[in-house]
Amino acid sequence: SPRRAPGSPDPRLPPPLALSRSGRAVIAPRVAELTPLTYVPGARIVRYLGRVNLHFIRESWAVRQGGGLGTFFFVLLSEANAVARAHVAAMGGNALVGYRVLPRESTGQLSKNQAYHMVSVSGDCVEVEHERDHVGYRAMAAQVEKHLKKAQRK
């Protein structure tokens, strides 16, 4: 198999696991973590990278055809989360702590098939390191080792 950089995802392993330089399975999150807490459970904050404030406006003139008002809000929040994660990664972080989503303005007129919504996303961009002694780490590492042994036998 081609050589991969340490910490890069291994296609033989279930996500979000990767192989370290020593060949052991490690947790390698592929996306930034979003948490309303001021910390990430099982990790320590290594570096503070700055405040993130993002504002999203979405308008639709075809709400019924797009699945209704619930789908409209779900898509807006999903896209806002994806952009927030990308923004954190671009800043060099891997977590957004103190994550808040605040609806600013909303109008939904299903009789006219229109909807408008503005939402603000904020939090603190940080770089975290996961602790090896975290409660679930050992159990997950044991499962990965078992999975690797099965894959090697095939």
Side-chain angles (χ1 to χ4, degrees):
S1 73
R3 294 186 63 98
R4 285 180 315 281
S8 65
D10 187 336
R12 298 175 301 168
L13 300 176
L17 302 173
L19 292 177
S20 67
R21 285 184 197 268
S22 65
R24 295 195 52 110
V26 295
I27 297 173
R30 295 182 184 170
V31 296
E33 298 179 60
L34 305 178
T35 178
L37 303 172
T38 56
Y39 63 95
V40 176
R44 69 180 183 90
I45 295 175
V46 178
R47 190 168 50 140
Y48 175 79
L49 298 166
R51 185 83 177 149
V52 173
N53 287 305
L54 302 170
H55 308 283
F56 301 90
I57 299 173
R58 168 64 65 100
E59 184 175 17
S60 177
W61 294 63
V63 176
R64 276 185 239 132
Q65 290 84 354
L69 207 50
T71 302
F72 173 80
F73 288 125
F74 176 79
V75 170
L76 172 63
L77 291 177
S78 296
E79 290 175 355
N81 286 342
V83 171
R85 285 186 169 100
H87 196 77
V88 167
M91 291 175 70
N94 58 1
L96 187 67
V97 296
Y99 170 72
R100 299 284 183 263
V101 176
L102 299 170
R104 296 292 182 186
E105 185 177 336
S106 183
T107 59
Q109 299 174 350
L110 284 180
S111 61
K112 293 184 179 180
N113 203 21
Q114 298 173 355
Y116 172 89
H117 194 70
M118 179 177 171
V119 65
S120 295
V121 174
S122 62
D124 294 309
C125 179
V126 295
E127 182 182 349
V128 298
E129 279 184 357
H130 289 273
E131 299 171 6
R132 287 188 164 260
D133 292 333
H134 181 57
V135 176
Y137 181 85
R138 287 188 181 148
M140 183 179 283
Q143 287 179 348
V144 170
E145 296 297 330
K146 183 178 164 184
H147 180 77
L148 282 175
K149 286 177 185 177
K150 280 184 183 179
Q152 288 174 353
R153 280 185 253 162
K154 290 182 181 180

